[in-house]
Amino acid sequence: MSTAPSDLDDLHVIIPAGGAGTRLWPLSRAGRPKFLLDLTGSGRTLLQQTWDRVTKLVPPERVHVVTGPRHADAVRAQLPGLTSVFVEPSPRDSMPAIGLATAVVLARHPEAVVASFAADHVITGEDRFADAVAQAVRTARTGAVTTIGISPRSPSTAFGYVESGAPLAVDGAPSARTVVRFVEKPDEETARAYLRAGTFSWNAGMFVTRADVLLGHLARLQPTLHAGLQRIAAAWDGPDAQTVLEAVWPSLTRIAIDHAVAEPVSLTGGIATVPGRFGWDDIGDFAALHELGVSGDTGVVWVDADGLVRTTGGVTVAVVGIPGAVVVQTDDALLVTTVEHAQRVKEVPAALAASGRTDLV
Amino acid sequence: MSTAPSDLDDLHVIIPAGGAGTRLWPLSRAGRPKFLLDLTGSGRTLLQQTWDRVTKLVPPERVHVVTGPRHADAVRAQLPGLTSVFVEPSPRDSMPAIGLATAVVLARHPEAVVASFAADHVITGEDRFADAVAQAVRTARTGAVTTIGISPRSPSTAFGYVESGAPLAVDGAPSARTVVRFVEKPDEETARAYLRAGTFSWNAGMFVTRADVLLGHLARLQPTLHAGLQRIAAAWDGPDAQTVLEAVWPSLTRIAIDHAVAEPVSLTGGIATVPGRFGWDDIGDFAALHELGVSGDTGVVWVDADGLVRTTGGVTVAVVGIPGAVVVQTDDALLVTTVEHAQRVKEVPAALAASGRTDLV
């Protein structure tokens, strides 16, 4: 029944589903994080959109979601076709999450290529996405850890960048290049220089790699973490899986895949990149949501104002004299801000938590 | 049982209760106007506060409320002690409203002094208010139409002004002066000049006059209106009161007391003023409400913001990056603006009415 392309037979997709999205409060909450929400009004949550996208490339049984215990039930409920869920006992950042799934996949499929795609990004242009994934998989088979870099639309200071170097001449992946370096979120002047240079792309955290290659890098760069993951993977298909997971997990180094593997390996030429020429957004805040053209409520009365209004319905909203207004209401909370201040929304759940109102966080 | 001061035995108070307060949408509506609301969070509506204030000066049976048919039941419900309600068949502005009550009072009490106080103003400092009223009554007894002018706190452009002239040397009213002229809402430069001059006060529409004097001015200046009011008053205590009211009312000139009497009579020296040194506000918009120090909801999360938040409760509000924010929510509507744009709120019910959503107006 699978319509997955036959040339991706070795591909497994890992979807790390974590991160609360505190800049999207009050829509996103600790117990109802961004990836579980239908932010774009499409009728599908961001997690479901991710699932829909990757199950066009691989059959459902080769999709693995890594999430926290608080969200495992919601993940299963949203994805009835999902067969593989890894429940992290506690959040340890992206390397343990992706590493766990990779180690288990590797134990079962020694030739597997794994691709990691965040659960809460928006992508448009699925053909271009599929093409980028196919080129990345072909590049990864050569032994390179391959990142899909997003062709930048603007000199954004909200993302890290990937600088590409020489073409790699991979068969079937004409766009693949070596990665010169990863750079952290730049200031605006630097971002403008990157955009002019034409050799920088946004780091969207999309990594495609042979499972054995990733684990090999880990063994060398993060041996303790690697050993822990190996212990869990060895027990995974046996009766002690949960016991071992819970015993070992807290000892794993808390580190992002960028710091654990991508950056150090780039120094020795082991990272490749292929360009992602599809539409992409991580919807980091309400300004991003507004920029995506999400219209929000209809029937809003705007007087010398515009912006994004989103309520639970049944209420007529009027905004007077505030360009770029952001008005977001849930059953128990109401946020009023502007797109200009969208980044600071994360201070609201922080303030609520500090004053003990954890029910609202 | 009355605790009213004996030297105000001839005083009747008229409370015109009209005006929707469209700049206070969505709190105020056509069917739930400003005077029926507890805007200040005191536990008493503006109408009830007005009632409480004037029934310290006169017994309840000498208080007369003039209102529209849509609000008569609510007025009676809010003021159980009220015995005299005049229901205008349609709004004809303040002169017919005040004139009707005055004509009826005059028919019953030829020596009466009437004082008109709006139903929807906030006053603080009741002793000073009582003193101003007492001085105004004594001045009115001499035959002057007397206005209580509010000592200006600022060069406001939101109010008309009253310019005072020479002292009048009225016994028991040492502050009474003649009125030189009434002026419309000034521009800011003019308002500053008024404040510097020290002889200008805000026109709060508080008129105190002998009933026969007011009707005399009307007979001369607005003879048609006067004749109509006399017809209604002659029938008022008989069986045809309602029939005559409904027959005559639509023919009455629609005019404000300022234009009908105060301004023309001031030209011939017939208007006096006494200063009102009490706190006064007409709460014209949310900026005024905010300026009154009405705090609104507690538990609001302010991030680089301040202002006025008022909801129906049960919702935690966060405002990020908007100084002077105004957030007002009712069961069916939500307004977001700033104190700076508070005057433009009236455009919201206008827009809603224009698009046929009269249920929200």
Side-chain angles (χ1 to χ4, degrees):
Chain A
M1 286 296 295
S2 170
T3 60
S6 60
D7 66 339
L8 298 177
D9 272 353
D10 51 355
L11 179 62
H12 284 248
V13 170
I14 299 168
I15 302 175
T22 54
R23 287 170 298 173
L24 292 167
W25 184 93
L27 292 185
S28 64
R29 305 289 178 90
R32 193 177 65 204
K34 186 178 150 195
F35 60 86
L36 293 175
L37 303 178
D38 173 16
L39 276 183
T40 58
S42 70
R44 299 285 281 170
T45 69
L46 294 176
L47 174 66
Q48 288 173 322
Q49 292 182 47
T50 304
W51 168 266
D52 295 346
R53 192 159 51 238
V54 301
T55 53
K56 286 178 182 143
L57 304 178
V58 301
E61 58 273 18
R62 283 197 265 132
V63 179
H64 312 269
V65 175
V66 189
T67 194
R70 194 166 173 185
H71 307 127
D73 286 348
V75 165
R76 289 192 186 96
Q78 288 199 0
L79 305 179
L82 180 68
T83 59
S84 176
V85 182
F86 294 85
V87 182
E88 306 168 284
S90 60
R92 311 297 298 171
D93 216 325
S94 60
M95 190 66 258
I98 295 168
L100 169 61
T102 303
V104 170
V105 166
L106 179 64
R108 297 171 184 167
H109 310 281
E111 308 295 320
V113 169
V114 293
S116 166
F117 301 118
D120 57 2
H121 293 177
V122 165
I123 285 174
T124 52
E126 300 221 332
D127 287 352
R128 290 177 173 207
F129 173 73
D131 176 66
V133 173
Q135 291 206 41
V137 168
R138 290 176 201 125
T139 308
R141 286 188 192 124
T142 69
V145 175
T146 306
T147 183
I148 300 174
I150 307 300
S151 306
R153 299 185 300 274
S154 66
S156 173
T157 60
F159 309 122
Y161 284 71
V162 183
E163 185 181 3
S164 64
L168 282 170
V170 176
D171 198 32
S175 304
R177 290 175 172 266
T178 191
V179 164
V180 175
R181 57 173 174 146
F182 290 85
V183 287
E184 303 275 347
K185 297 176 184 179
D187 60 27
E188 196 164 323
E189 192 183 346
T190 308
R192 289 185 192 284
Y194 290 169
L195 198 62
R196 279 195 302 274
T199 52
F200 288 81
S201 58
W202 290 340
N203 179 6
M206 299 182 183
F207 290 101
V208 184
T209 174
R210 269 185 10 220
D212 65 334
V213 168
L214 183 64
L215 271 291
H217 286 308
L218 265 188
R220 184 167 47 87
L221 297 164
Q222 296 285 339
T224 312
L225 174 54
H226 177 261
L229 292 175
Q230 291 294 81
R231 275 189 63 198
I232 299 169
W236 193 254
D237 289 325
D240 299 329
Q242 194 60 25
T243 312
V244 174
L245 176 68
E246 286 175 13
V248 174
W249 192 261
S251 73
L252 300 185
T253 309
R254 184 192 287 257
I255 190 168
I257 188 171
D258 301 76
H259 303 312
V261 171
E263 288 165 13
V265 174
S266 73
L267 300 179
T268 51
I271 310 287
T273 186
V274 299
R277 299 203 174 89
F278 43 84
W280 173 87
D281 206 296
D282 75 343
I283 319 186
D285 57 29
F286 287 112
L289 195 60
H290 183 237
E291 210 169 277
L292 275 179
V294 172
S295 55
D297 289 12
T298 55
V300 174
V301 179
W302 301 103
V303 176
D304 197 16
D306 56 38
L308 175 68
V309 169
R310 190 142 166 173
T311 71
T312 51
V315 167
T316 293
V317 181
V319 185
V320 178
I322 305 178
V326 173
V327 179
V328 180
Q329 178 161 40
T330 64
D331 287 337
D332 58 357
L334 169 63
L335 168 74
V336 176
T337 186
T338 65
V339 293
E340 192 189 342
H341 295 89
Q343 291 273 337
R344 297 193 64 185
V345 170
K346 65 185 175 196
E347 297 176 39
V348 176
L352 288 168
S355 61
R357 294 153 76 189
T358 46
D359 57 311
L360 289 162
V361 173
Chain B
M1 284 298 292
S2 169
T3 60
S6 59
D7 67 338
L8 297 177
D9 271 354
D10 53 353
L11 178 63
H12 284 250
V13 170
I14 299 168
I15 302 175
T22 54
R23 287 169 299 174
L24 292 167
W25 185 94
L27 292 184
S28 64
R29 307 289 179 92
R32 193 177 64 203
K34 188 180 150 195
F35 61 84
L36 293 175
L37 304 177
D38 173 16
L39 275 181
T40 59
S42 69
R44 300 285 281 170
T45 68
L46 295 177
L47 174 65
Q48 288 173 321
Q49 292 182 46
T50 304
W51 168 265
D52 296 345
R53 194 158 49 238
V54 302
T55 53
K56 287 177 183 145
L57 304 179
V58 300
E61 58 273 19
R62 283 197 264 134
V63 179
H64 312 270
V65 175
V66 189
T67 194
R70 195 168 173 183
H71 307 127
D73 287 347
V75 165
R76 290 192 185 97
Q78 289 199 358
L79 305 180
L82 180 67
T83 59
S84 175
V85 182
F86 293 85
V87 182
E88 306 168 284
S90 60
R92 311 298 296 171
D93 216 326
S94 58
M95 191 66 255
I98 295 169
L100 169 60
T102 303
V104 169
V105 166
L106 178 64
R108 297 172 184 166
H109 310 280
E111 308 295 318
V113 170
V114 294
S116 166
F117 301 118
D120 56 2
H121 294 175
V122 165
I123 285 175
T124 53
E126 300 220 334
D127 287 351
R128 290 178 173 206
F129 174 72
D131 176 65
V133 173
Q135 291 205 41
V137 169
R138 287 175 204 129
T139 309
R141 284 187 192 126
T142 69
V145 174
T146 306
T147 181
I148 299 174
I150 307 298
S151 306
R153 299 185 301 272
S154 66
S156 173
T157 60
F159 310 122
Y161 284 71
V162 183
E163 184 180 5
S164 64
L168 281 170
V170 176
D171 197 34
S175 305
R177 289 174 173 267
T178 191
V179 165
V180 175
R181 57 174 175 147
F182 289 86
V183 287
E184 303 275 346
K185 297 176 184 178
D187 60 26
E188 194 162 324
E189 192 183 346
T190 308
R192 289 186 193 285
Y194 290 170
L195 198 61
R196 279 196 301 274
T199 52
F200 288 81
S201 57
W202 290 339
N203 180 5
M206 299 181 183
F207 290 101
V208 184
T209 174
R210 269 184 12 218
D212 65 334
V213 168
L214 183 63
L215 271 291
H217 286 308
L218 265 188
R220 186 169 44 88
L221 297 164
Q222 297 285 338
T224 312
L225 174 54
H226 177 264
L229 293 174
Q230 291 294 80
R231 274 189 65 197
I232 300 170
W236 194 255
D237 289 323
D240 299 330
Q242 194 60 25
T243 311
V244 173
L245 177 68
E246 286 174 14
V248 174
W249 192 261
S251 72
L252 300 185
T253 309
R254 185 191 288 256
I255 190 168
I257 187 170
D258 301 75
H259 303 312
V261 171
E263 289 164 13
V265 174
S266 73
L267 301 179
T268 51
I271 310 286
T273 184
V274 299
R277 299 204 174 88
F278 44 83
W280 172 86
D281 207 295
D282 74 343
I283 320 186
D285 57 29
F286 287 113
L289 195 61
H290 183 239
E291 211 170 275
L292 275 179
V294 173
S295 54
D297 289 12
T298 56
V300 174
V301 179
W302 300 104
V303 176
D304 198 16
D306 56 39
L308 174 69
V309 169
R310 190 140 165 176
T311 70
T312 51
V315 166
T316 293
V317 180
V319 184
V320 179
I322 306 179
V326 173
V327 178
V328 180
Q329 179 162 40
T330 63
D331 288 336
D332 58 358
L334 169 62
L335 168 74
V336 176
T337 187
T338 65
V339 292
E340 191 189 344
H341 294 88
Q343 290 273 336
R344 297 193 64 184
V345 169
K346 65 184 175 196
E347 296 177 38
V348 176
L352 288 167
S355 62
R357 295 154 76 188
T358 46
D359 56 311
L360 290 162
V361 172

